[in-house]
Amino acid sequence: MPGRAVYYLRLSVTGRCNLRCIYCRSGDDAAPPAATELPAEDLLKIVRAAALVGFKKVRLTGGEPLLRSDIVDLVGSVARVPGIDDLALTTNGVYLSRLAPALARAGLKRVNVSLDTLRPERFRGITGADRWQEVWEGIEAALELGLNPVKLNAVVLRGL
């Protein structure tokens, strides 16, 4: 669209995921190894360059970004980039309750959690994992820490 200002960067920090959702992976798909991820410094170069041309918002995505061993440091580094005034993260929420306090301290402002159902048994069927309670605890932790708004993402699946 002519004249439209672009100020929002969505940055995938890993292709790895700890769930095997029926709409994402077939039974034989293997997640890429951590060694294929861009180093944090390269991701920061992208964010700095984007900030220099007017980007103000960054959303870290994946795969599952909380699988990165350096995710808290990466969040802190992105939050300190001059010009970036909003930092969000999209997650499946499995590790969110454990990492939310450190992420909030590092500068994370908001979070989107992928949660396709409020029924634990259905969650297991969709994701291949019995982790619904951990996701729910992550949502609660994010709310308690003020990572607002906490938004939920869902994939609508025929028959479910």
Side-chain angles (χ1 to χ4, degrees):
M1 209 182 263
R4 181 175 175 205
V6 178
Y7 59 91
Y8 174 67
L9 176 66
R10 189 175 178 106
L11 189 62
S12 179
V13 300
T14 186
R16 296 180 296 138
C17 188
N18 51 339
L19 299 178
R20 299 197 57 76
C21 298
I22 59 177
Y23 51 81
C24 264
R25 300 194 184 277
S26 67
D28 295 337
D29 287 351
T36 62
E37 295 171 348
L38 281 177
E41 189 52 45
D42 290 349
L43 294 169
L44 284 170
K45 285 178 186 175
I46 295 167
V47 173
R48 288 183 195 115
L52 285 174
V53 296
F55 284 66
K56 300 196 177 309
K57 296 182 177 187
V58 174
R59 173 173 302 282
L60 302 177
T61 68
E64 174 47 48
L66 299 184
L67 289 178
R68 276 190 76 110
S69 61
D70 63 350
I71 190 63
V72 173
D73 292 335
L74 180 60
V75 164
S77 296
V78 171
R80 289 188 299 275
V81 171
I84 300 301
D85 58 20
D86 185 39
L87 178 56
L89 181 131
T90 298
T91 176
N92 64 31
V94 171
Y95 298 132
L96 186 57
S97 66
R98 182 174 7 144
L99 292 171
L103 292 166
R105 283 191 305 274
L108 187 66
K109 304 281 190 226
R110 310 181 282 119
V111 66
N112 282 28
V113 179
S114 299
L115 182 62
D116 298 315
T117 180
L118 295 176
R119 297 180 183 173
E121 68 284 351
R122 188 170 284 173
F123 180 90
R124 190 177 326 103
I126 293 170
T127 66
D130 190 15
R131 312 295 290 271
W132 185 91
Q133 186 62 40
E134 292 163 272
V135 175
W136 194 255
E137 290 168 4
I139 292 167
E140 289 177 330
L143 288 168
E144 288 171 15
L145 290 163
L147 296 175
N148 291 320
V150 173
K151 294 183 180 180
L152 300 182
N153 296 337
V155 174
V156 177
L157 300 165
R158 184 179 304 239
L160 295 177

